[in-house]
Each structure stands twice: as C-alpha cells, then as structure tokens.
Amino acid sequence: MNLNELSILSLYSAMAVYALAFIAFSVDLAKRSAAVSSAEATTAPGVAGESSAAGAVAGGTTTLTRISARIANDAATPYGRSSSLRIGVSLTVLAWGLHLVAAVLRGIAADRVPWANMYEFAMTGTLLIVTVFLIVLTRTDLRFLGTFVTGLILILLGIAAVQFYVEVAPLPPALQSVWLVIHVFVASLGTGFFALGFALSFVQLLQFRREERVDTAKPGRLKFLKTLPSAATLENLAYRTNIIGFILWTFTLMAGSIWAERAWGRYWGWDTKEVWTFIIWVIYAGYIHARATRGWRGSRSAWLAIIGFAAVMFNFGIVNVFFKGLHAYSGL
Amino acid sequence: MSRPSDHIDSQPAPAGDGITQPKLGFVGTLRWFWRQLTSMRTALFLLLLLAIAAVPGSLVPQRSSDPNGVTQYFTDNPDLAPVLDKIQAFDVYSSAWFSSIYLLLFISLIGCVIPRTKHHLQALRAKPPKTPARLARLAGFTTRTAPAGTDAAAAVASARTLLKQGRYRVALFDSPREFSVSAERGYMRETGNLVFHSALVGLLVVVGFGSGFGFSGQRVLVEGQTFVNTLLAYDSFNPGRFFNDTGLDPYKLTLDDFQVSYETQNLDAFGQPLDFSALVSVTPRGGDAQAGKVRVNDPLRTGGTSIYLLGNGYAPTITVRDPQGTVVFTDSVPFLPQDANLTSLGVVKVPDGLAEQVGLLGFFYPTQAETTTGSYFSSFPDLTYPVLTLNVYAGDLGLDEGVPTSVYNLNTDHMEPLATRTSDIKPLELKPGETQELPNGLGSVTFENATPDAAEGDYSESVPRFASFDIHHDPTQGWVLLFAVLVLGGLLTSLFVPRRRLWVKAIEQADGSVRLEYAGLARGEDPALESAVAALADRHTTLLERSNPAPKTADPA
Ligand code: HEM
C-alpha cells in the first residue's frame, strides 16, 4: 500500500468516525429536548412563568449587548453534563486525528502541500473547519454545534471523495508558488471561521423565533433550543467568529492579488474566481455594517452571514467546477 | 461620535424629526439628501447592491478578461448577445451601472469619514467625559471598601496612576465628598476604522488612475530572437490613457533557450508539464548583457517593466524553394498549441517567388500517433517523434487588399486546395530534416532540423520553441500595495482594539470610611470589559492595602 492509499484509508476511517460523532451529537440534541420536556412537566402548567423568565432573559441581554458582551451561558433551561456530548467530542477529536493523518500522508505522497486541487482542498479545508471548531471549544462551549459541524464535514468529504478525487499529480507550473501555500491556506482557515459563524447565525435565527414564540406563549417544536444560549449571546458569538473570518478573507483577497500579479501580470482582472472572492468580501462587509445599523442588528444581519457562507460554498463547489476562468484549479 | 444618525450607538433622532418638518427649501432638501446618502442604511444598501451587481460578470464572459469568450458567446447566442451588449453585460466592471454604484458608495464613504475624522481629532485632544452620577447602571459595576485610614482623594489619585499605566487617558473630577477618575482608552479603534475607510478611497483612486499610466504589450520570441523594447516591436500593445511612449526604456531582450520538462514517471500525470523556463539575456541601453530567467509565477523585472511568461510552443523552421532551388521563404514559424500534448497549428504564406501565391496550413505533432481511423494526434508534448503535415493551397492569399490579416490565419476563399485530406494529393508529411516537392511543380518545402548532428532518432532539440511574453508597466502598483496594507492594518486595529471607558469613584461615607466604586462602558464590541473592571478593582484595592497596612477591615462586598 503506498502513502496515497494509506491517506485514502485514513480519510475513510475519519469519515466513519465523524459519522459516529454525528450520531452521538444528535442523541445529545434529542436528550436536550427530553430534558426540556421533563423540566416543563415539573413546572407545568406554568407556561406563563417560563414566558416571563425568557422575557427577562431577552430584556437582560439587550442591555448586555449594549454595555458589555459577556459570553454567558444564559440558556433558558440549564442543561447539565451529558455523556453523549462527551462521546461526540471525543469521537470528533479521534476523527480529526485520522483526518490530519490523511492530509499529511497525501502531502508527503505528492511531495508538496496537500491543497493543490479540489479533492485536496476539500480535505484540508474540512480539516481546518474541524480544527477551528475544536480550538474554539477550548474557550467557549459550542458543543451544541457538533451535529452541524460533523454533518457538514461528512457531506463535504463525501462529495470530495466521490466527485473530486484525483490521483497524486505534480504541481503544474501555474501553481508552483509560495502564494499557493499562503493564499489557499488562509482562505481555508477563513472558511472554517465562516462555517462556524454560519452555524451560530443559523441557530441564532431559530432561537430568536423560539424567544418570540415564548413571548406569545406558543410552543415550538425544536425543544432543545431552550438549552442553548440566548439569541443575543449567539449573535455575539457569531459576530466574533465572522469578523475573524472576514479578516482572514481580506488577507486572502490581498494575497491572491499579489499572486495574480506574479502569475498573470495584473493584480486584479475580474476573473470569475476573483469576482466571487470579492462578492463574498462585500457581503461580509455588509454583515459587519448591518450589525452597526439600527434596525439591522439581530435577525437581519444574521441572514447576511448565512448568505455570505452560501456564497463561500458556491464559490468553492460551483465556481471552481463549472465556471470558466484563469483559476484552472479543480484538477478535474 | 459623529456617526451616521442611524448607527446603533447614536441617539435615535428626536421624535417628530422629519415628520412635522415643514418645507425644507432647496438647501434643506440638499442637506436631507446628503444625510440620507451618508447614513449607515444607505451604505449597507449600496454594499449589498455592489455584491449583487458583481454577479453577472461571472456568468457572462467579459471583454476585459476573456475577449474570445465574448466572440464565442455572440456566435452561440446571436439573438441574446446584442441585447446583453446593450446593457454592458460584457463590460460589467466598467459599465455605467456598476460604476455608479461604487461611485455612490465612495461618495457616501467620504461623506461619512470626513465628519468622523474631524470629530475624532477633537476627541483625541479632549479629556475623558465627566464621571456619571450613578455608576451602578454600568457594566461590571463593583464596589469595595477602602482600607481604614484611606483618604478618598489619595485613593482616586492612585487609581489614576494605575489607569495611566494601563495607557488610559484620565481626568479627575471632585465634588465635596466624592472624588472620581474618568478614564478612556482605545482611541486607536476609531483611528483604525478611519484609516480602513480612507485607505479604501485611496485604493480606489490609485486603481482607477493607475492603469492609465502604464501599458501592457505582448511579444512572441523564437529561441535565438531578440526584441527591443520599443512600441513597434510589440505584436500587440495596450497603452493606458495617459501613457506616453517616450517613457519606454529600449532594452534588448533575447530568448536564448526555452527549457521544458514533462512528467514521465507518474503515469497518472504522464505528460503534465513540470517546469517552463525561458532563459533570456537582457541588454540595457549602453550596458552589457545579463542573463536572466522568466518562469511562470516568476516574472523578470527590468527597465521599469515586468516580463511574464505567458505561453510557449513550437516554431518549426520551414524553407520553401522555387523549382530552381532558390530560397523564397525561410523562417521559424510559431505554431499555436491546440491541446495539452501540443498538437499545434501554423500557417506559412508565400506571396512572391513562386509561379502562384502559395499558402501552407500546417499541423505539428511533437510526438505523432495515429488513431484507428487514421488521423494523427500528439500523444506527448515533448519532441519524441515530431511530424509536420502541410496542406497546400495556391491562388490569392488576399494580402493585397490592404486589409490586415492575421499571421495565424489562412483565408482559403480564393485559393485552390492542392494537397489536403480531401484532395487527390494528400497533405505533405515531413520529419525534421526532410524535404518534399510541392504539387504542380511549384517547388519544394523543407522542415529544417535544428540539430542535424544529433544521434539517429534523437529529436529532442530538433524543433525550435517559442515563448510568448507579456510585458507590463504599472507605476502605481506600489501605491496599491501600500493602501492594501493600510486597509488590513486599519481593519485589525478597529476590530481588535477595545475602546472602553472606566471609572473609579471614591465616596466618603458618613462613618468616615471610603467606599470605592468601579464601572466601565464599552464603545463597540468589547468582550473583556467586565473582567477588565474586576481586575482594576482588585489591583487597586491591593495597592491601597499595601500603602495602608491597616488591620483587616475590608468589606467582602
Ligand atoms: C466601500 C465601502 C465600505 C466598506 C467595504 C466598508 C467596510 C467596513 C468594515 C469592514 C467595517 C468593520 C471594520 C471597522 O470598523 O473598521 C466597517 C465599519 C464601519 N463603517 Fe464601513 N465600509 C464601507 C463604507 C462605509 C460608509 C459609506 C459608511 C458611512 C455611512 C461606513 C461607516 C462605517 C461605520 C460607522 C463603521 C463602524 C461600525 C461599528 O461601529 O462597528 N462605511 N466598514
């Protein structure tokens, strides 16, 4: 078995373990819902009580965002330790290790950085998404995003393995540049932060709808939301994640321009890939502005973060493969 | 802060503003319009509009980046293309509508940045604002009791020192029984934001004007050929609007050797290029030749220009003789590569010297192979088994009509096919060094071998190569980089430097003790504010205890 075959084996193992982690995280969400139901049963029929409590939380957090943005776990229903959550994280770490081995082996087999075609870029990009997730976990409890992160990774790796796989090939002259290393790596890292920001904004929207419903005393279906931080806290977390992504993206844009100058003799030429990188940058600039615009903080700005990430995925999955341009990159 | 009135941290406009406003008048209308244009909402709207407006340019080929694609699009969609062309869909990024969006955005930006800059310059010189009467409503509010014997004024003075050490700007305030220090830091946040936005303007200006002063030109050189950097020597030349050709530095560029290497070990990537290097010598005016190298991703900078390697291919040397053996044509003709294995297409035109005008349409296969149907293709891009086939036409080349014709195109409308795949005589087929008779006794044609002395069967250097170079001059590139760096620096500063106010108040209580109050206020995103207040309170009380080693009376409040 050569190194590339080992890399593939390792990657498939990683996918299997991610799948197990996904199951564990899903079980945890189900448990959360159950915990919320039983908490409701003990305090029943006090729907009104919950409503006022949630109202207080919402009221409290608006001042919280104004004055200070402490990250508090201000969940409506506190949720204690959960074995499935711990198993989910452990499995994710294990899968991440296998994933890392897969990327490193591929790099050694190809004798260069493992991100020079779509397959490798998907492999390394998803690795970075998980890396960002795990690092953020050491600082903030975002384990409730486990289902999303492992689910996204499984989908992307699945597509990469089935649709994008190419054999190891040497770098064509057009890609022989330090800027490949820098530009593409930073872009993937930025994508990792955007992915997390997307998930947070998405949960924020769900949470916001739940909080609204609580105010009108209508029960919602996604019970586990009650064990998650409030919409305002989620928004702050999403913002912080997205601005890091934005800075990395700004750097990607600039590094790309420097590379374009060296490779094609002009730093900017509205090539399709450049266009989409620009569009993404502008959308996220809009998101940051929206957060500072009265009437736009909250759900509206969250939608922009979601659109932004959709554009990132589009840029990677569709533009690379189907649009014509100078970035003859996919290796397909 | 002099931010737009709909900024989240601005006071909402007083009720009634804009509703009960009577007539605005001309100036009033202008002012109203200006306020709308420079509001956060407009900026946001224009940003999103800009993102949307950029999309079509990625769906439809653009003249600036893909002119052939546009031509093709017109051929494929003869009905739709002219309509799209009317709305400038093939020139999106220089179109009237795209330009007006970004120009409006930048006007809005300037209108937004100027008042903020003024205000910020004042804020930089101003003292921190007066301590609020009640700190209890503010973030991280905490109280301590000063060690017994502490003097309220002295306590505040020591807090002031502490804050100054933390790079806060400080101001003291006192009323009969209350002493306080007001501190502010993080002015760099606003500075960064202003630098960011101003640098965007700078970027737009240099990008907009910069291209006007430069030029780009293309030139094909066959191995051994020399080019002098003058206007006429270019195959094509695109000057900027303000470009003046007296600025061209007439250096000489010779292509000495073009080196290639292709993958031969890895069967999954067999024939894939590994390296292209153009070995050149550059002779500055009045100087000596210097060796240089141009590679993909690695331009050569000389004489105020940057030289890029754009493409390469084969330039078979072809000689045509009349029936008496007199040379009527000889040249290395660049053939355009058609596929990854460098099947190449080229044209030779012989207008004079033969009984008729003759045109040769040639296909060159660096490593010739044959399909089952008998047509040729190239199976490897390097010279393993080079074969040249020539279709021969005779008649009118169409050169005399004064219409410029491309050297890569043979117009056979007024020519008779003498040797083609469909005529009686099949196309001529030559290996390097071979000669064949032209049909109808017109003469002969030779495919010259560049290395006639090479070993039998070694064709590796038998055909010269050409390289096409892109030569650019852009005097504003350095400025672009400078503004880009400012953009990034401003962004980092404005997103990561916390701007905050802190207050420490010492209040003399009726019982003679001193109560200390601490609180803060974030100005923008500041996740660490509360811990900063707590840390200040802790450090301050420790400091006070150390200077007042009184018996333990601290209230654990
Ligand atoms: C070319 C268009 C623009 C882009 C790309 C852009 C981008 C950005 C970005 C990335 C930020 C966050 C980083 C920072 O604070 O420095 C920001 C903040 C800001 N921008 Fe812009 N901007 C643009 C135009 C404008 C305009 C026209 C205005 C005025 C209406 C404006 C007002 C602001 C304000 C007030 C902030 C601070 C937001 C806050 O308090 O968090 N910007 N802008």
Side-chain angles (χ1 to χ4, degrees), chain A residues 239 243 246 250 281-282 284-286 288-289 291-292 297, chain B residues 3-4 6-9 37-44 46-47 50 102 104-113 116 189-190 192-194 196-197 200 490-495 524-525:
Chain A
Y239 178 70
I243 56 173
F246 181 74
T250 309
W281 190 79
V282 174
Y284 278 100
I288 293 175
H289 267 219
R291 282 248 327 161
R297 183 168 283 193
Chain B
R3 293 212 156 140
D6 59 344
H7 187 275
I8 196 122
D9 289 337
L37 186 62
T38 57
S39 71
M40 290 297 285
R41 235 175 310 123
T42 308
L44 177 58
L46 288 172
L47 272 172
L50 187 68
Y102 74 73
L104 270 179
L105 183 58
F106 275 89
I107 292 171
S108 168
L109 180 55
I110 292 165
C112 176
V113 163
R116 281 175 58 198
R189 186 185 186 90
E190 183 75 352
N193 180 296
L194 292 170
F196 169 82
H197 285 88
L200 283 181
L491 190 66
L492 284 169
T493 322
S494 97
L495 290 178
E525 203 73 13

Side-chain angles (χ1 to χ4, degrees), chain A residues 40-318:
Chain A
E40 273 172 2
T42 51
T43 59
V47 186
E50 213 279 312
S51 157
S52 64
V57 167
T61 44
T62 36
T63 50
L64 194 139
T65 46
R66 283 298 321 273
I67 300 169
S68 120
R70 174 183 45 175
I71 303 169
N73 195 350
D74 50 1
T77 305
Y79 177 67
R81 301 167 146 268
S82 150
S83 54
S84 46
L85 201 52
R86 256 177 291 130
I87 292 172
V89 174
S90 311
L91 287 173
T92 310
V93 172
L94 176 63
W96 175 83
L98 290 165
H99 196 163
L100 179 68
V101 169
V104 169
L105 286 179
R106 174 82 181 191
I108 296 174
D111 196 17
R112 55 167 164 72
V113 290
W115 53 83
N117 53 49
M118 285 280 280
Y119 168 70
E120 295 171 5
F121 182 53
M123 178 159 67
T124 309
T126 47
L127 179 67
L128 284 172
I129 294 179
V130 185
T131 311
V132 169
F133 177 60
L134 291 177
I135 289 175
V136 171
L137 280 193
T138 63
R139 315 170 112 243
T140 314
D141 184 4
L142 296 187
R143 289 177 299 176
F144 58 87
L145 292 182
T147 349
F148 164 78
V149 173
T150 49
L152 177 75
I153 299 305
L154 274 174
I155 294 173
L156 291 178
L157 281 182
I159 296 175
V162 174
Q163 294 288 326
F164 297 156
Y165 181 77
V166 287
E167 295 297 335
V168 171
L171 276 187
L175 294 180
Q176 293 169 12
S177 169
V178 284
W179 292 102
L180 170 74
V181 181
I182 300 170
H183 169 71
V184 181
F185 181 79
V186 177
S188 322
L189 198 61
T191 305
F193 280 93
F194 282 152
L196 224 50
F198 162 80
L200 286 164
S201 295
F202 185 71
V203 181
Q204 173 201 338
L205 285 177
L206 293 178
Q207 189 70 297
F208 182 75
R209 279 193 26 211
R210 187 191 71 84
E211 284 169 8
E212 264 186 345
R213 254 198 249 104
V214 168
D215 283 343
T216 58
K218 262 190 262 160
R221 218 170 299 137
L222 296 171
K223 290 233 166 84
F224 64 83
L225 285 174
K226 269 198 191 167
T227 65
L228 306 188
S230 69
T233 302
L234 288 168
E235 169 167 8
N236 282 330
L237 287 171
Y239 178 70
R240 248 164 264 154
T241 317
N242 279 326
I243 56 173
I244 296 175
F246 181 74
I247 287 166
L248 293 170
W249 201 256
T250 309
F251 185 80
T252 303
L253 200 68
M254 290 176 183
S257 296
I258 295 174
W259 187 9
E261 195 279 330
R262 286 191 76 82
W264 302 320
R266 85 287 183 293
Y267 51 83
W268 194 260
W270 297 108
D271 176 62
T272 40
K273 197 80 187 176
E274 291 170 349
V275 169
W276 276 94
T277 304
F278 171 79
I279 291 173
I280 291 163
W281 190 79
V282 174
I283 295 175
Y284 278 100
Y287 163 78
I288 293 175
H289 267 219
R291 282 248 327 161
T293 306
R294 191 173 303 126
W296 278 77
R297 183 168 283 193
S299 300
R300 284 197 187 174
S301 60
W303 274 111
L304 287 180
I306 287 170
I307 295 171
F309 186 67
V312 171
M313 286 290 108
F314 184 81
N315 190 26
F316 169 69
I318 308 293

